[in-house]
C-alpha cells in the first residue's frame, strides 16, 4: 500500500493523535506526514501502519510507535544545519524522519539484514542525506567525529560515557535508559559550557541495545 493509497481518515487520525498527545512542533508534524510509515513496516502490517503502536520487523526488532518517534524527534530540536547520529537503524523509519529536519544523518545498525534493507529503502525513496552503517553502537568509529544530535533507539542500561562525549558543544542526546526487559525512561542530555545537563522525560519500552555486530542475520 503506497502513501497515496492510504485513506484520508487514517492520515488525519495519525496527525490528530500526535497533536492530542502533545506534539506541537510544525516541522516535526510535517516530517511525520511526509514520510510514508507503511513503506517501513512488514507487508502484513501495512494496514496498521498509521496506528499509534510499535510493530515487529525483521531480526526480532521493532519499529517504534509514531508518537515515540515524533516525541524523540521533537526533543532533539533539530535544524537544517545539524549532523545527527542514530544508534539502531531498524527499518530506517526514524532516520527518514530525521532526514527531513537535519543536514545529514549517520545511522548505525548491528544486524546486517536490517542495515542492508534500510539502506536500499532509504536510497530508493530519495533520502540521500542518510548514511547507513553496519556497526556497533557502543563503539562508534572515531573517524566519524562529533555530532550535533545523537538519538538511541534501543534500550541502554546506562549511557556510555564515550557516546555522550561525541556531542558537539550545545549538542543534545536522547536515549531510553533502564532495564532491557522492562520499562525504561527517555533521558535527554545537553552538552553545556560547564558539563552535561541530564533530564528524565517519559517512560518507554524499547528492545535492548546490545554491543557488537550480530553474528547472524
Amino acid at each position: 500500500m503506497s502513501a497515496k493509497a492510504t485513506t484520508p481518515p487514517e492520515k488525519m487520525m495519525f496527525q490528530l493523535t500526535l497533536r492530542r498527545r502533545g506534539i506541537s512542533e510544525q516541522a516535526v508534524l510535517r516530517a511525520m506526514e511526509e514520510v510514508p510509515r507503511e513503506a517501513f513496516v512488514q507487508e502484513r502490517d501495512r494496514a496498521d501502519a498509521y496506528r499509534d503502536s510499535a510493530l515487529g520487523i525483521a531480526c526480532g526488532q521493532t519499529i517504534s510507535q509514531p508518537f515515540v518517534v515524533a516525541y524523540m524527534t521533537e526533543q532533539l530540536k533539530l535544524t537544517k544545519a545539524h549532523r545527527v547520529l542514530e544508534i539502531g537503524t531498524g527499518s530506517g523509519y526514524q532516520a527518514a524522519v530525521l532526514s527531513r529536519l537535519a543536514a545529514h544523518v549517520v545511522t548505525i545498525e548491528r544486524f546486517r539484514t536490517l542495515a542492508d534493507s534500510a539502506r536500499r529503502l532509504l536510497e530508493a525513496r530519495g533520502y540521500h542525506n542518510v548514511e547507513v552503517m553496519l556497526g556497533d553502537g557502543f563503539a562508534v568509529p572515531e573517524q566519524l567525529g562529533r555530532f550535533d544530535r545523537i538519538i538511541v533507539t534501543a534500550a541502554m542500561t546506562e549511557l556510555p560515557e564515550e557516546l555522550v562525549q561525541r556531542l558537539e558543544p550545545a549538542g543534545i542526546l536522547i536515549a531510553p535508559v533502564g532495564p532491557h526487559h522492562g520499562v525504561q525512561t527517555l533521558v535527554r542530555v545537553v552538552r553545556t559550557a560547564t558539563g552535561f545537563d541530564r533530564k528524565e522525560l517519559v517512560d518507554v519500552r524499547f528492545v535492548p541495545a546490545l554491543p557488537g555486530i550480530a553474528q547472524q542475520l
Side-chain angles (χ1 to χ4, degrees):
M1 183 171 65
S2 69
K4 291 182 179 179
T6 303
T7 61
E10 287 177 325
K11 276 282 194 179
M12 290 173 63
M13 185 56 67
F14 177 72
Q15 287 285 313
L16 183 59
T17 297
L18 294 178
R19 291 174 184 271
R20 281 178 173 171
R21 297 197 63 182
I23 305 302
S24 59
E25 177 57 51
Q26 290 302 307
V28 173
L29 289 166
R30 187 164 54 250
M32 295 293 292
E33 173 73 17
E34 291 174 353
V35 177
R37 191 169 187 254
E38 74 273 14
F40 294 88
V41 304
Q42 297 191 85
E43 187 173 357
R44 67 178 185 233
D45 292 324
R46 287 180 181 171
D48 298 323
Y50 289 97
R51 292 185 181 178
D52 193 30
S53 61
L55 296 170
I57 57 174
C59 306
Q61 304 301 293
T62 60
I63 177 174
S64 297
Q65 70 185 91
F67 169 72
V68 172
V69 172
Y71 182 82
M72 293 178 75
T73 302
E74 190 172 64
Q75 291 296 320
L76 288 174
K77 303 184 185 302
L78 290 162
T79 76
K80 287 290 189 179
H82 286 149
R83 183 168 176 259
V84 183
L85 172 66
E86 179 191 29
I87 305 297
T89 310
S91 68
Y93 179 65
Q94 176 73 79
V97 172
L98 295 171
S99 78
R100 302 300 84 188
L101 300 163
H104 186 70
V105 179
V106 177
T107 179
I108 298 177
E109 174 56 56
R110 69 186 299 266
F111 289 102
R112 184 178 298 276
T113 295
L114 290 176
D116 289 348
S117 63
R119 186 182 299 109
R120 287 193 299 268
L121 179 56
L122 290 163
E123 289 177 354
R125 291 273 170 175
Y127 301 104
H128 300 308
N129 61 335
V130 179
E131 178 183 355
V132 181
M133 297 180 60
L134 176 67
D136 181 356
F138 287 86
V140 179
E142 192 65 33
Q143 63 266 28
L144 291 179
R146 290 183 176 181
F147 293 85
D148 302 297
R149 301 290 187 265
I150 299 175
I151 180 171
V152 181
T153 58
M156 292 182 159
T157 55
E158 59 184 22
L159 283 177
E161 180 65 20
E162 296 84 353
L163 189 60
V164 176
Q165 291 293 339
R166 301 303 284 271
L167 282 174
E168 292 278 13
I172 299 174
L173 177 151
I174 188 164
V177 179
H180 279 172
H181 301 289
V183 177
Q184 303 98 31
T185 300
L186 275 183
V187 173
R188 185 180 64 204
V189 176
V190 180
R191 187 165 199 161
T192 69
T194 57
F196 296 92
D197 284 345
R198 176 175 172 141
K199 181 179 181 180
E200 295 187 349
L201 301 174
V202 297
D203 289 341
V204 289
R205 286 181 180 269
F206 277 83
V207 296
L210 301 174
I213 297 173
Q215 295 301 304
Q216 298 178 338
L217 304 175

